[in-house]
Amino acid sequence: MAHFHDELPLQQDEADRVKPPLQSSSPNETTVSGRSDPAPYALERPFAATTIYLDGPPAGLRRIESWGSRLSLFAGPYTDAGRLRAFLDSAAYVVYAIADPAPGSDQPPYFGHSDKERRWGDRLPPEIKGTTQIYILTADAGTLDKVMASYIEARFIQICTDLNIKLLNSARPYGGGLRVRAEAEQLVGHAEMLLHAAGFTLIDDARRTPATVRRRLSVTADLDEMVVMTETEAIVVPREGERFRLSHRELKADAYRWNGSFYVMPGADYARLTRSGLSDDHRKRRELMKAEKWVGAVPCAKDKMTLQLGFRCRSGAFAAKLLSGEHLDEEAWLAADAPSNDAGPSPSYEDPA
């Protein structure tokens, strides 16, 4: 088997452009999934990668290495993933990405970690495109054990979610409790650069052209907690969904239940203050809605804001808690033709969450 080498040094400007992210790991700081992409990790020198072509064509099996990293990466067509096992240590744990690098592809990537024997991508849908590649990060057992492999996978899922990159992953390995570990971030950064050198450029592309609106916000393992309505949903949901209106104090909001989800329409009232008794997760969700400008100020209204865009979530109770800042249930929503509830006395509020 002929091996061909191609050294691909990243010049300083390119190294700066693909610097991996880093968040504070202070013991007093809780890292919340859904925050914007953290400050980049600063490299001390340019990152140089060497590509070894294992069977000829550039898109075939290949190995990417760097003298500055303990990690290396194997890449190749997803259909040839089994052939890459021969290059891995029998006791190795790996982190892998499966993605279609073809320009304009709408296939979301998938991240995972496993030992050598597990079938990579076994949870993927069958309609994977023929141009899909698999990228396998590996190292010696002292560098990449099960815990570290799981952490790097979780960080990539978090980074992509924060950058508005849609994933095929349905959950995060650490749920909503991932805390960034400063001592592991160099490996995360090197892993990202090796992926970039192998042709996985989605993260770098998203950093250079960030979306103006975060499409989804989440503080738990559920990546679909709060997702902005698509243009199609904005047309279909009001036409086919079951309509509701919020009936709670002075708040006004329209919503629809459709296709197993609950949709809140733009223009809904949002209580500026948060009452005691609301769960920590819902407090964090409300903080994210403000930070990401899903809600905006209302002229001459000190106690209300307004929802700038429509979104879907799991239930009416979930939506009512977000809008009101109170511990409400499904009964806060009435069918659109039902009479209003009595507003009742105004509650006492605490400072904003």
Side-chain angles (χ1 to χ4, degrees):
M1 181 180 296
H3 293 181
F4 300 90
H5 299 254
D6 184 13
E7 186 161 338
L8 301 174
L10 299 183
Q11 301 302 322
Q12 184 63 55
D13 57 345
E14 186 175 358
D16 288 342
R17 183 165 58 82
V18 296
K19 283 185 289 191
L22 176 66
Q23 282 177 317
S24 169
S25 59
S26 166
N28 297 321
E29 178 183 349
T30 300
T31 300
V32 180
S33 299
R35 286 182 180 171
S36 57
D37 195 31
Y41 165 74
L43 287 176
E44 295 181 357
R45 55 183 176 271
F47 187 92
T50 298
T51 298
I52 304 169
Y53 298 105
L54 301 175
D55 59 357
L61 302 189
R62 56 206 186 277
R63 178 172 182 162
I64 294 89
E65 299 175 323
S66 171
W67 288 107
S69 177
R70 292 170 288 166
L71 297 174
S72 60
L73 182 145
F74 291 93
Y78 178 61
T79 53
D80 283 343
R83 293 174 58 200
L84 291 173
R85 296 183 191 277
F87 298 96
L88 303 178
D89 184 273
S90 59
Y93 273 91
V94 301
V95 181
Y96 61 90
I98 299 172
D100 179 15
S105 174
D106 59 356
Q107 178 180 296
Y110 179 87
F111 287 95
H113 81 279
S114 72
D115 57 25
K116 176 184 175 182
E117 301 305 321
R118 181 174 173 179
R119 182 175 177 270
W120 301 312
D122 55 356
R123 299 178 184 177
L124 297 183
E127 57 275 12
I128 294 299
K129 297 178 181 177
T131 51
T132 296
Q133 295 261 311
I134 184 168
Y135 309 87
I136 303 171
L137 290 153
T138 186
D140 62 79
T143 297
L144 199 59
D145 57 12
K146 181 177 178 59
V147 174
M148 183 59 71
S150 176
Y151 175 81
I152 293 176
E153 176 200 359
R155 282 289 284 126
F156 275 121
I157 292 174
Q158 182 185 57
I159 290 166
C160 288
T161 301
D162 289 347
L163 289 172
N164 225 12
I165 299 172
K166 184 178 180 180
L167 298 173
L168 284 173
N169 297 73
S170 60
R172 295 174 174 147
Y174 284 73
L178 177 64
R179 185 180 290 277
V180 172
R181 296 164 49 187
E183 76 280 4
E185 284 303 286
Q186 185 181 62
L187 281 182
V188 175
H190 287 180
E192 183 178 323
M193 289 188 174
L194 288 169
L195 282 170
H196 184 274
F200 183 96
T201 63
L202 285 174
I203 294 175
D204 184 47
D205 293 343
R207 282 209 177 94
R208 287 188 288 110
T209 56
T212 56
V213 176
R214 293 275 300 285
R215 303 298 300 178
R216 62 184 65 218
L217 302 178
S218 175
V219 301
T220 71
D222 181 4
L223 296 176
D224 290 326
E225 281 184 355
M226 303 155 62
V227 183
V228 174
M229 293 174 65
T230 65
E231 293 182 2
T232 300
E233 287 173 332
I235 296 171
V236 174
V237 170
R239 186 174 63 205
E240 300 182 2
E242 181 183 4
R243 185 181 176 189
F244 294 88
R245 55 187 171 80
L246 189 63
S247 180
H248 183 73
R249 308 199 187 280
E250 300 297 323
L251 299 179
K252 297 179 180 179
D254 288 331
Y256 293 85
R257 184 175 287 117
W258 180 75
N259 200 27
S261 294
F262 199 83
Y263 292 80
V264 183
M265 305 306 290
D269 285 345
Y270 175 96
R272 185 182 292 272
L273 304 181
T274 301
R275 292 196 72 184
S276 59
L278 194 66
S279 71
D280 287 342
D281 280 350
H282 278 300
R283 286 176 177 270
K284 293 172 184 175
R285 292 181 184 108
R286 282 171 56 82
E287 291 170 3
L288 282 172
M289 291 178 74
K290 292 179 182 178
E292 297 302 327
K293 297 181 173 53
W294 280 27
V295 293
V298 178
C300 303
K302 295 182 178 180
D303 59 344
K304 291 182 184 179
M305 303 179 78
T306 188
L307 187 66
Q308 303 290 334
L309 42 78
F311 69 93
R312 63 175 167 86
C313 59
R314 66 177 69 128
S315 69
F318 187 100
K321 292 179 177 70
L322 291 177
L323 296 179
S324 70
E326 302 182 39
H327 187 73
L328 303 182
D329 56 25
E330 296 282 345
E331 294 181 358
W333 295 96
L334 296 180
D337 58 352
S340 299
N341 288 341
D342 183 4
S346 297
S348 59
Y349 287 94
E350 65 177 20
D351 291 334

